[in-house]
Amino acid sequence: MNGRFKASGGAVGGGLLVAGTTSDAGKSVVTAGICRWLVRQGVRVAPFKAQNMSLNSFVTREGAEIGRAQAMQAAAARVEPTALMNPVLLKPGSDRSSQVVLLGKPVGELSAKGYHDGRQEQLLGTVTDCLAELRRTHDAVICEGAGSPAEINLRRTDIVNMGLARAARIPAVVVGDIDRGGVFASFFGTTALLSKEDQALVAGYLVNKFRGDVTLLEPGLDMLRGLTGRRTLGVLPFSHGLGIDEEDGLRVSLRGAVRESVVAPPHGAEVLRVAVCAVPLMSNFTDVDALAAEPGVVVRFVDRAEELADADLVVLPGTRGTVRALAWLRERGLADAIARRAAEGRPVLGICGGYQMLGERIEDDIESKAGVVDGLGLLPVRVRFAAEKTLARPVGEALGEPVTGYEIHHGVAEVTGGDEAFMSDDQGRGLDGCRTGSVWGTHWHGSLESDGFRRAFLRRVAADAGRAFVPAPDTGFAALREEQLDRLGDLIEEHADTGALLRLIEEGVPEGLPFVPPGAP
């Protein structure tokens, strides 16, 4: 298993495309699971997603911005994430336009029509070059598709589904979420809407999120094989508690949602309640996953002022629309509720865009082009949006504990006062953010994943909130993430036909896959 795979093109690593019948069918987690299964077999594997639309992103060591799902998949593969793994990232700024991030750097804003009318097709060469480089340096590359490969209105410019599979000549498996219902129709319809050339690369199906007795499903799987000439290569059971990084905040309905926590009682006498304001264009809401991992911390997303009443901590998360989110807070009465909390000494935390909103003034001629806008005035901070985006992986200290994080923002903060800086260097010099009373703000995403700092921060929050909450002394977020990734690998190893998957990766596209009419219109 340690030797180089041989694909049809010669001495390059093998490849596989994980497509899906719909968005959120499970492509991201299946890709991560296959990566973890392969690396445990001694295979040098890398993840790849040609084009990702997501507001959850990550900064690599070389300072490149990629989708956070690809960073998670790289962790599953036990490799360092790079820009090669997600060459095109689209960060929505509205329903009609997105910032285009190419090879980790922003290159401008484009409307959806402008992107699909020419720009996307031009990027195919860049995408295939990145995939080829990964295949030269790894035994296998597991590619994740986007949406559905049967989006026939977009097929001409597709660079992430069958367009990629055709260009790289790699086989595809299609994932379907049976928990939604209609999985057989979805598998058949997806295949039947592809052209003959695209269908020739679809090698099989994977059922995701199955509940119940799999023997009751088998007659349908047999009939599907009879209709399409393709096997189902696995039935993955529904599994609770796999709170891995979400890919796209725009598609997730967060009203009243609760992030999944570890099943453990509070370490102290009381729980700690965290309310996250579900602002428009919310980005990197995965920041609060580390809070939800703590026994006794209950995290929920809210959009009403009255829902803040019983919260011990209110979090303003990042957003791709700081000024728009600020207006939203005011329209819903959340801004006033947060101001009352601050006046009462009750804890508030702002992260990135949330930190900017807590300041006195925002000067934005870049993102919203709104000019000068008053902030909430709860922190002595003035923010000016710069044309160049800050992308960094800072290291520092806070509350006497080491902290690491990553920065993704156009806003430049000028701190004019406050009780203390939030993040400092080892000499106590301020690096980022500030605190005034019980209101905290920082540009650093991911800081709460630093275990010692998270516990120290929660102790401060509990004290300010008057709660008898005590953080568990042994919660390790990185270890919990590893456990989750191993569970994904277990799902593939125990419930998929790994022999068939390995043959597809090593040997490429099977010959003689039948055509299912009518094909693409």
Side-chain angles (χ1 to χ4, degrees), residues 5-6 15 56 65 96 123 168 227 232 384 428 438 482 494:
F5 287 4
K6 300 291 182 179
N56 286 334
E65 186 179 7
R96 294 178 176 271
L123 294 173
L227 289 166
T232 298
R384 177 184 56 82
S438 60
E482 275 295 297
E494 296 169 9

Side-chain angles (χ1 to χ4, degrees), residues 148-163:
S148 164
E151 291 167 351
I152 53 179
N153 56 316
L154 302 177
R155 176 62 185 89
R156 179 182 61 83
T157 57
D158 170 47
I159 63 172
V160 64
N161 290 307
M162 303 316 297

